[in-house]
Amino acid sequence: MAMQNCAQSFSRFPMRVRAGPSGIQMFDRATGLNVLFDEISVPPALWATSPRYVSIALTNACDLACSYCYAPKDAAALDVERVVGWLDELDRNGCLGVGFGGGEPTLHPGLAEICRYATKNTGLAVTLTTHGHRFDDALRAALTGSIHFVRVSMDGVGPTYEALRGRSFTVLRRRLETIRSLARFGINYVVNARTFPDLTAGVQFAAEMGAAEFLLLPEQPTRNSCGIDSQTTRALRQWVSLYSGMVPLSVSEVGADGLPTCDPLERETGLRAYAFIGASGTLKRSSFDVDGIPVGERGLMRALDVLRISCREGQK
Ligand code: SF4
């Protein structure tokens, strides 16, 4: 029933159409349905100029302290007005969706306003990545009708989760019940030696809660951790090869090495596929990149052009 309500409130915008090197893609943000007409060859002059998907870290603030966190620990946060301007640019230039994260995006005071703007004034799909613990009835009410998909971070179950996240797993279950009444949701699961033993229980829990997706995030090295080790990487590959659960698996591009993946848009890579904007307003190819381009007065698409040129020059 919640999905029907969402689909009705989003129905003002029909399926979005995006042209690119792989053909014509149609996307329905209410259901997540994608259709690709790859038999159609589109001239480069008509390709969408925006990345297909852009992540925006609204704030670096977070009330948890996970040891493998890669978010910068400064107090940066983005202005609502600035973000809204970028949403308009992305909408005009063929982007399909934006993901708001952080830090913890629910700590940003303008979150509901930004999501409402994106849903009502653009055709962009809106995704939120969150630890989930701030989802009470008030937050759900503020975001109702303004979010299409929620990604909830859950590394391990029970005692493992509680040791790593410092929060109650029982409370997380209650928060997921609130979240699933708001929008479709998936689980983001950082895989490392500590969390791998809980992987089967984690995906079973996700199925029980009604998750639409289980995203594997092999841990990446940060200044505080050395990332997933080779033994756990091998064990993860074997686990994936034997997986037969009901919840679809996906894997982060940066950690996909050696795992079976399917990418129907394999000609749409790099900045055609994805970009990240940090809470200090720096545009990067991914959140793991150290360097980027500040998004200035001339706007996001101009910054994208500059970043593309600097990436090409870096490859020379
Ligand atoms: S919840 Fe996310 S942003 Fe917060 S400390 Fe953990 S990994 Fe970092």
Side-chain angles (χ1 to χ4, degrees), residues 62 64-66 68-71 73 102-104 131 153 165:
C62 185
L64 269 59
C66 311
Y68 40 81
C69 182
Y70 61 83
K73 297 303 168 206
E104 172 53 40
H131 60 52
S153 307
R165 296 250 158 194

Side-chain angles (χ1 to χ4, degrees), residues 1 6 16 111 116 153 162 206 234 254 295 302 309:
M1 181 56 76
C6 289
R16 199 157 171 81
L111 174 68
R116 203 175 311 120
S153 307
E162 294 181 352
R234 281 196 299 278
V254 69
V295 185
R302 172 65 189 156
I309 291 165

Side-chain angles (χ1 to χ4, degrees), residues 59-64 103-111 131 134 139:
T59 174
N60 284 339
C62 185
D63 46 356
L64 269 59
E104 172 53 40
T106 61
L107 287 167
H108 192 290
L111 174 68
H131 60 52
R134 296 173 50 81
L139 183 58

